[in-house]
Amino acid sequence: MGIAQNILDSGKIILTVLGLSSPYPNVDIKNVGIYQTPNIVVSEFQTQNIVNKSIKSVIESGMNINIVYSVKTTAKRKILYTNQIKSVISCRNKMFYISKKPKGYKFSDLTNSIVSNEIIILTNTPAHKNKQIKTEIEILISCEGYSDLSDLWGNQPKITLSYGL
Amino acid sequence: MRMRFIVIFIVAMLLILISSILFTYRAVNKTQQTINKELIIPLENKLNNNNEANKEAKKTIAIYKAFSKKNTVKITRETIAMFLVELLIMAGLFLLFIFEVTRPLKKLSLNVNKICFGEKIEITTIKEEGSNEVRTLIQAFNSMLQKLGQYEELIGDTARYRGWKEISRVIVHEVNNLISPVQTYSEYLLDQVDDNSKILLILNKLQEIKGVLQKFRNMSHLPEAVLENENVFLLVCDVVKEFKKVRITCDDENIVLPLDEVLFKEILRNLIKNGLEATGLESSRLEATSTTTTHKAKVKVQIITINTKTTISISDNGSGIEKSKLNKIFAPGYTNKPGNIGIGLSIVRSLTQAHNATISVDSEVGKGTVFKIVFGSQLR
């Protein structure tokens, strides 16, 4: 390993210990947007690195990982809509499966590929016209016996949207 | 200097912190890896998937391995936190020490920079504070300041006195040359004219001028002191005999000091004369005694020996001298008596120094004056 690499690694270690960095990779959230239909508001966004190497070893051991998108929509602190969209990632024969979908993924596809998501964040939109609305989408991870595995991510992925109808 | 110390210290602390973080992290990581390699992996390999208990064990092992990086960081942080507290305490103590040392040193260096050769030293002594070594340095500085002040006075006076000596020598020589022919012709005319009263007046005045010149000559041509062991009390008695109403007290009549008899008597004569003039008495003969006499003396000569120092004090209860003028009375040319040249005390001081002694004066207006000659203490 070159001296430059050593210095780089040492720098990362120092930043990690000081809390300025994480030993685990971050979950990336990109291309966040919303669109409205006559009755609902939908948020679309893309995520990457939901499943990293450390989470992979947990799934491979036979534990199913639950990924939950927790939605909370408020207007002036009054809750208008909440929902939790759950997907389960499991492993069979070294292939990874998302919820009950038949398609299996390799780990490299699962972690490197960008996953597009569309989530309803508000219903009954006519009732909320002229309101200034705020939606928070939190992505949570857990498994059987461990209610919170978010320490295995480098960040706490969260989307905050502010919009008016 | 202080900033440099602090910067060096901060850089050193940062380096220690960084290296501690790296070493601790690597040590913990190595431990984790060793546990993985020696325990976890062999255990995993032994576990049979068909067994429910083994499946649960595998899941637990997977969780352990997943969180191992986080645990490494957590353990490193906890270790470094303790170390950081100790480091901060050490840093605080070190900075305190630096300030303790540098603050008095900075004061010291500011005062040293104020010393300007050729100008009067106006600095007061520095308060002794800081560590023992710094206090020692400040003590030495304060002592040096005192001695510098004394040397400054001494050199100043010496320079002034030498100036006077030189001028006196020149004046005496030149004026002598001028008055000699005047005297010669005056003496010649004394025999030639009938009414010689005016010529006698000229000759008298010439004698007076010669008298003044002699005093200047005395100052410019002071003889070298030849010091021999002499009995102090006997010499003092010899001088006191020449005057009236002068009392002697002595705690040891057998004190012997290295003195030049003639010059020492000259010192005493001058001081006693001054004392008598201050009290309004003229000098005349009196028998000296070594015990308290029934005469009401107004001028007193006292001989005291304490440890190795012998002090001869000549005191009077005359009009006294103002405090503001005390430091000028030994300067050549200074006098408070009309018609006086003002070189007597200057000669006294030179003769005292020739005896390796010091002379000082204390006075109070209306109460009197005391001159003290101390043998056994010297300015080096």
Side-chain angles (χ1 to χ4, degrees):
Chain A
M1 225 192 267
I3 294 171
Q5 186 62 37
N6 255 334
I7 294 170
L8 209 63
D9 289 342
S10 301
K12 280 182 192 167
I13 290 168
I14 291 163
L15 290 172
T16 307
V17 171
L18 294 176
L20 301 172
S21 180
S22 172
Y24 302 103
N26 290 349
V27 171
D28 297 324
I29 300 175
K30 300 173 193 179
N31 299 325
V32 179
I34 55 173
Y35 66 84
Q36 187 182 351
T37 63
N39 281 315
I40 59 171
V41 176
V42 177
S43 169
E44 53 184 3
F45 53 90
Q46 292 168 332
T47 56
Q48 195 175 11
N49 287 334
I50 291 267
V51 177
N52 56 39
K53 280 184 189 172
S54 301
I55 295 169
K56 171 197 170 214
S57 62
V58 173
I59 302 172
E60 279 177 339
S61 72
M63 273 204 269
N64 293 340
I65 296 290
N66 305 312
I67 306 290
V68 174
Y69 296 88
S70 174
V71 179
K72 186 166 98 174
T73 301
T74 57
K76 290 185 183 176
R77 295 187 189 177
K78 187 181 167 189
I79 296 172
L80 304 178
Y81 176 80
T82 60
N83 195 11
Q84 291 200 331
I85 298 109
K86 187 174 161 182
S87 55
V88 178
I89 303 175
S90 55
C91 179
R92 289 191 300 277
N93 299 325
K94 295 195 180 175
M95 291 295 280
F96 297 90
Y97 297 88
I98 299 173
S99 297
K100 290 177 181 173
K101 290 177 186 170
K103 186 185 176 186
Y105 297 90
K106 290 182 197 169
F107 172 69
S108 55
D109 295 330
L110 199 62
T111 196
N112 290 333
S113 65
I114 295 167
V115 177
S116 293
N117 305 278
E118 280 189 351
I119 294 174
I120 296 171
I121 58 173
L122 184 65
T123 56
N124 194 16
T125 50
H128 307 297
K129 266 191 180 168
N130 301 323
K131 280 183 186 172
Q132 201 54 37
I133 297 168
K134 182 176 162 187
T135 297
E136 288 174 345
I137 305 171
E138 220 175 328
I139 308 174
L140 306 164
I141 182 169
S142 62
C143 70
E144 179 195 350
Y146 295 91
S147 60
D148 186 7
L149 287 178
S150 57
D151 281 344
L152 296 178
W153 284 334
N155 60 344
Q156 303 296 315
K158 191 174 180 179
I159 303 166
T160 304
L161 301 161
S162 294
Y163 51 95
L165 292 177
Chain B
M1 183 177 82
R2 189 192 284 177
M3 275 316 295
R4 214 183 310 157
F5 267 127
I6 290 171
V7 166
I8 290 170
F9 178 73
I10 289 171
V11 168
M13 287 294 115
L14 280 173
L15 285 172
I16 290 170
L17 187 67
I18 288 167
S19 52
S20 306
I21 289 172
L22 290 173
F23 284 129
T24 308
Y25 181 88
R26 287 197 167 123
V28 176
N29 202 28
K30 190 89 180 165
T31 309
Q32 293 268 21
Q33 285 172 1
T34 307
I35 292 173
N36 275 348
K37 186 179 160 192
E38 303 293 333
L39 182 66
I40 304 297
I41 293 172
L43 191 62
E44 250 185 328
N45 293 337
K46 281 182 186 170
L47 292 173
N48 190 335
N49 270 336
N50 292 333
N51 189 322
E52 275 302 313
N54 287 349
K55 277 184 187 174
E56 288 304 314
K58 270 202 162 182
K59 286 177 186 175
T60 307
I61 289 168
I63 291 285
Y64 165 79
K65 280 162 77 174
F67 278 98
S68 65
K69 274 188 194 171
K70 185 188 166 219
N71 289 337
T72 304
V73 171
K74 189 179 165 193
I75 293 166
T76 307
R77 274 189 197 149
E78 283 167 5
T79 311
I80 292 299
M82 281 306 299
F83 180 68
L84 201 63
V85 167
E86 288 163 15
L87 211 61
L88 285 171
I89 291 169
M90 219 169 72
L93 289 171
F94 182 74
L95 286 172
L96 201 68
F97 173 73
I98 289 287
F99 279 107
E100 274 291 305
V101 169
T102 59
R103 193 165 35 90
L105 284 180
K106 196 173 175 181
K107 236 189 255 180
L108 193 63
S109 72
L110 278 171
N111 276 323
V112 168
N113 285 336
K114 282 183 191 167
I115 296 174
C116 215
F117 291 104
E119 289 176 14
K120 191 168 170 52
I121 295 171
E122 299 280 357
I123 311 161
T124 52
T125 54
I126 301 173
K127 186 180 163 193
E128 289 171 31
E129 53 184 356
S131 62
N132 283 341
E133 292 80 8
V134 174
R135 278 172 188 263
T136 307
L137 188 61
I138 292 173
Q139 270 171 14
F141 176 76
N142 288 339
S143 166
M144 180 199 78
L145 259 190
Q146 265 183 322
K147 284 180 185 163
L148 271 177
Q150 287 167 347
Y151 277 127
E152 193 184 41
E153 273 182 36
L154 185 66
I155 288 166
D157 289 343
T158 306
R160 279 190 289 275
Y161 182 71
R162 282 198 186 134
W164 265 89
K165 268 180 81 169
E166 227 8 74
I167 291 169
S168 302
R169 192 180 60 77
V170 170
I171 288 172
V172 163
H173 181 259
E174 294 301 321
V175 173
N176 257 333
N177 286 345
L178 289 171
I179 64 174
S180 286
V182 174
Q183 184 162 7
T184 307
Y185 283 117
S186 299
E187 283 169 354
Y188 172 73
L189 285 172
L190 191 66
D191 294 332
Q192 302 299 316
V193 299
D194 294 329
D195 181 12
N196 56 8
S197 58
K198 291 198 173 37
I199 294 172
L200 279 171
L201 182 67
I202 292 169
L203 284 170
N204 281 340
K205 288 297 169 192
L206 284 173
Q207 279 306 117
E208 280 179 32
I209 292 170
K210 280 196 166 180
V212 168
L213 286 179
Q214 185 58 40
K215 285 183 186 171
F216 273 105
R217 195 184 163 76
N218 286 346
M219 194 178 86
S220 64
H221 290 87
L222 282 174
E224 288 288 322
V226 177
L227 303 178
E228 289 172 358
N229 289 336
E230 301 279 355
N231 185 298
V232 176
F233 177 68
L234 291 176
L235 289 186
V236 172
C237 284
D238 282 347
V239 174
V240 167
K241 276 179 200 173
E242 301 169 18
F243 300 95
K244 197 179 187 177
K245 290 196 177 178
V246 178
R247 192 175 104 184
I248 304 176
T249 57
C250 178
D251 57 5
D252 185 356
E253 294 178 12
N254 297 315
I255 300 165
V256 170
L257 291 172
L259 303 170
D260 182 309
E261 183 182 335
V262 171
L263 299 182
F264 180 68
K265 284 183 178 178
E266 189 58 34
I267 294 170
L268 292 177
R269 234 176 251 124
N270 264 286
L271 292 174
I272 292 170
K273 245 192 248 178
N274 280 351
L276 290 169
E277 282 168 10
T279 55
L281 293 171
E282 291 179 15
S283 58
S284 59
R285 291 176 64 84
L286 174 74
E287 283 185 11
T289 61
S290 63
T291 56
T292 308
T293 68
T294 55
H295 293 281
K296 195 178 175 186
K298 288 191 178 178
V299 176
K300 187 168 78 175
V301 179
Q302 209 171 2
I303 306 168
I304 302 168
T305 301
I306 298 172
N307 295 329
T308 56
K309 288 188 189 171
T310 301
T311 304
I312 301 170
S313 57
I314 299 100
S315 57
D316 64 71
N317 55 357
S319 51
I321 306 167
E322 289 168 25
K323 293 274 184 212
S324 58
K325 293 178 183 170
L326 282 180
N327 60 347
K328 296 178 190 171
I329 62 171
F330 291 109
Y334 180 83
T335 180
N336 60 353
K337 297 173 217 164
N340 201 345
I341 300 169
I343 57 173
L345 284 177
S346 172
I347 291 174
V348 162
R349 192 169 69 166
S350 291
L351 293 179
T352 308
Q353 285 169 354
H355 283 85
N356 297 321
T358 57
I359 184 166
S360 61
V361 62
D362 196 13
S363 185
E364 204 174 322
V365 172
K367 286 198 176 169
T369 305
V370 57
F371 284 90
K372 282 186 185 171
I373 303 168
V374 181
F375 293 86
S377 62
Q378 292 184 17
L379 269 176
R380 290 170 201 251

